[in-house]
């Protein structure tokens, strides 16, 4: 049996004295003197258990709680990180722990496990960074497991499972073989081709008229579109069949994008051939146009073949809270200034701020309309001057005055430029001199 050193203390009045157990610990070469009353604030930890065994445990029992013990110095040695231990001590004095910059979060968690400290004592700011690291490590572990599974061959695997694994590598792992790399390149080419066809098909000069006189896509472009959809469909079905967890496959984000890229084609095909018997022709055409817009989802298929786009997607997913906060600030600013603009301008007889929703970002529209009005007024003045040669000087002076007055009116916030479609307003910018037909 042996005992720790004890320090005798007296209170501020000197009327009563007490003894307190103290221990000396050496953490990676850094010595600390710790006191029993501080460590016993958290009795479930390793240090509290060490100080509480001082009077009724043998040296062997105490050495089981540390890496080594110096009997001469009465000092316990721990082969642990001294910087991490400084953070551990914060729990006993402040009731919470912060992970200092430069310390690996996962390594710090192992330090907390060694000292018998629960992760609930971590501060919220450190918990968020820890969760991010744990997510990244989980993804890395999953990829490592996948690679190891590819290298190992299990004798109990059936022939069907081997075919499924081969098909999965063929469709999901371009680096696994030359055939898989070729399929990935072909899929990438089909995505680009379908996107180009979708854009080119909207050019009026390349469209043709159907039997009812409506402009539709060129038959050649439709054939290319059909070939691309067939490839996307076969690719989706093969990837679905090769998936080990088909339910998770269906609800995966990228697989939802793939489904949305091919679904409109078949719905349009059904509406075109069978929809006219159920719905009116106009409704069918509107539904077809709405579904064709959904074809833009196929551009997101490029993320499957681009590590940069995948990184961008992960960054956006990790920053959803910050992006939502930014959009909220923008919405508050738009609403605030729109309400102010409507309140200040609603009493004007020619105001365009007739309601708060019409005040959202309306200033740019007003500036564009003002520029067009100035150009129209100058053009009319020039035409009047050309039609009346004898009144050229008057027209020239009128044109100059029009530019000046228009510039002044555009710079004033409480003056409104007349609309282009109002002949009465346009006539206000015409020169005073009129031509007379003899």
């Amino acid at each position: 049996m042996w005992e720790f050193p004890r320090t005798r203390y007296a209170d501020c009045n000197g009327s009563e004295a007490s003894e307190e157990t103290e221990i000396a610990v050496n953490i990676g070469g850094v010595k600390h003197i710790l006191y029993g009353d501080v460590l016993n604030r958290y009795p479930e930890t390793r240090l509290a258990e060490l100080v509480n065994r001082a009077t009724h445990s043998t040296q062997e029992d105490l050495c089981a709680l540390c890496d080594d013990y110096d009997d001469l110095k009465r000092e316990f040695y721990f082969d642990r990180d001294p910087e991490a231990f400084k953070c551990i001590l914060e729990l006993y004095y402040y009731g919470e722990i912060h992970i200092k910059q430069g310390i690996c979060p996962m390594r710090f968690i192992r330090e907390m496990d060694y000292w018998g400290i629960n992760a609930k004592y971590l501060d919220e700011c450190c918990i968020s960074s820890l969760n991010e690291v744990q997510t990244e490590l989980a993804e890395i572990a999953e990829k490592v497991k996948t690679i190891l599974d590819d290298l190992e061959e299990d004798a109990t695997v059936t022939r069907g499972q081997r075919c499924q694994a081969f098909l999965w590598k063929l469709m999901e792992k371009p680096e696994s073989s030359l055939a898989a790399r070729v399929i990935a390149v072909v899929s990438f080419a089909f995505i680009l081709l379908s996107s180009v066809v979708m854009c080119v098909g909207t050019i009026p000069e390349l469209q043709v008229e159907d039997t009812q006189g409506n402009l539709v896509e060129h038959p050649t472009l439709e054939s290319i579109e059909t070939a691309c959809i067939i490839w996307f469909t076969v690719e989706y079905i093969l990837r679905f069949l090769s998936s080990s967890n088909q339910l998770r496959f269906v609800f995966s984000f990228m697989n939802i994008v793939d489904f949305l890229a091919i679904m409109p084609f078949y719905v349009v095909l059904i509406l075109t051939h069978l929809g006219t018997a159920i719905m009116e022709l106009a409704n069918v055409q509107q539904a077809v146009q709405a579904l064709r817009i959904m074809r833009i989802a196929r551009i997101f298929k490029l993320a499957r073949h681009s590590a940069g786009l995948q990184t961008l997607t992960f960054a956006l997913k990790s920053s959803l809270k910050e992006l939502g906060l930014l959009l909220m600030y923008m919405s508050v600013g738009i609403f605030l200034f729109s309400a102010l603009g409507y309140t200040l301008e609603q009493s004007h007889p020619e105001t365009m701020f007739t309601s708060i929703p019409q005040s959202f970002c309306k200033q740019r529209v007003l500036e564009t309309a003002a520029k067009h009005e100035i150009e129209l007024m100058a053009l009319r003045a020039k035409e009047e001057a050309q039609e009346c040669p004898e009144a050229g000087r008057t027209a020239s002076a009128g044109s100059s005055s029009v530019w000046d007055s228009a510039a002044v009116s555009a710079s004033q916030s409480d003056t409104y430029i007349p609309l282009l479609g109002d002949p009465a307003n346009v006539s206000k910018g015409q020169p005073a001199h009129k031509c007379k037909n003899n």
Side-chain angles (χ1 to χ4, degrees), residues 82-300:
E83 295 298 325
F85 186 74
K86 293 179 181 179
C87 301
I88 296 295
L89 287 180
E90 292 183 358
L91 174 67
Y92 297 98
Y93 292 100
Y94 306 112
E96 61 182 10
I97 300 178
H98 291 269
I99 303 178
K100 293 184 179 180
Q101 188 175 5
I103 299 179
C104 174
M106 301 308 300
R107 182 178 178 182
F108 188 79
I109 289 298
R110 290 195 293 269
E111 290 289 326
M112 294 181 62
D113 292 338
Y114 176 81
W115 295 110
I117 298 176
N118 197 303
K120 67 181 181 180
Y121 296 113
L122 275 175
D123 192 68
E124 294 183 359
C125 62
C126 300
I127 292 178
S128 60
S129 60
L130 177 64
N131 292 335
E132 294 179 1
V133 175
Q134 288 178 337
T135 302
E136 293 177 0
L137 291 179
E139 294 178 356
I140 295 175
E142 185 177 357
K143 292 182 180 180
V144 171
K145 181 178 180 301
T146 302
I147 295 175
L148 294 178
D149 293 341
D150 295 341
L151 296 177
E152 296 178 357
E153 292 186 1
D154 191 355
T156 61
V157 176
T158 63
R159 183 176 181 180
Q161 292 175 338
R162 291 179 181 176
C163 293
Q164 185 181 23
F166 173 78
L167 185 61
W168 180 80
K169 292 180 182 179
L170 195 65
M171 304 304 298
E172 299 285 351
K173 306 284 290 182
E175 67 278 4
S176 61
S177 63
L178 178 61
R181 192 176 298 109
V182 171
I183 290 178
V185 172
V186 172
S187 179
F188 185 81
F190 269 107
I191 294 173
L192 291 180
L193 180 61
S194 63
S195 301
V196 172
V197 168
M198 181 182 65
C199 298
V200 173
T202 60
I203 301 177
E205 290 76 9
L206 299 180
Q207 294 179 341
V208 296
E209 293 185 357
D210 57 5
T211 55
Q212 299 176 355
N214 299 321
L215 291 177
V216 295
E217 290 186 0
H218 197 278
T220 303
L221 298 179
E222 288 186 351
S223 301
I224 298 176
E225 172 76 10
T226 302
C228 294
I229 291 297
I230 291 175
W231 170 266
F232 294 151
T233 304
V234 173
E235 181 187 26
Y236 184 86
I237 293 175
L238 292 178
R239 291 177 54 249
F240 175 78
L241 295 176
S242 64
S243 176
S244 58
N245 191 337
Q246 296 178 346
L247 182 62
R248 186 174 63 179
F249 174 89
V250 171
F251 291 100
S252 175
F253 173 76
M254 290 306 305
N255 297 325
I256 292 176
V257 171
D258 293 343
F259 179 77
L260 293 178
I262 62 178
M263 181 268 296
F265 176 83
Y266 295 102
V267 176
V268 168
L269 191 65
I270 294 174
L271 289 177
T272 303
H273 291 82
L274 302 178
T276 53
I278 304 174
M279 305 167 57
E280 296 181 358
L281 182 60
N283 296 332
V284 172
Q285 292 178 349
Q286 292 177 359
V288 168
Q289 293 299 327
L291 290 170
R292 285 182 180 273
I293 295 176
M294 295 181 62
R295 294 186 300 175
I296 60 177
R298 68 187 58 175
I299 197 64
F300 294 102

Side-chain angles (χ1 to χ4, degrees), residues 309-323:
L309 291 177
Q310 292 177 4
T311 303
L312 178 61
T313 303
F314 179 78
L316 292 176
K317 181 180 178 181
S318 303
S319 306
L320 285 178
K321 183 183 297 183
E322 290 76 10
L323 289 175

Side-chain angles (χ1 to χ4, degrees), residues 340-349 351-353 413-414 416:
L340 290 176
Y342 169 74
T343 303
L344 296 176
E345 300 287 345
Q346 62 175 339
S347 60
H348 198 282
T351 182
M352 297 181 66
F353 297 95
S413 60
D414 57 345
Y416 288 83

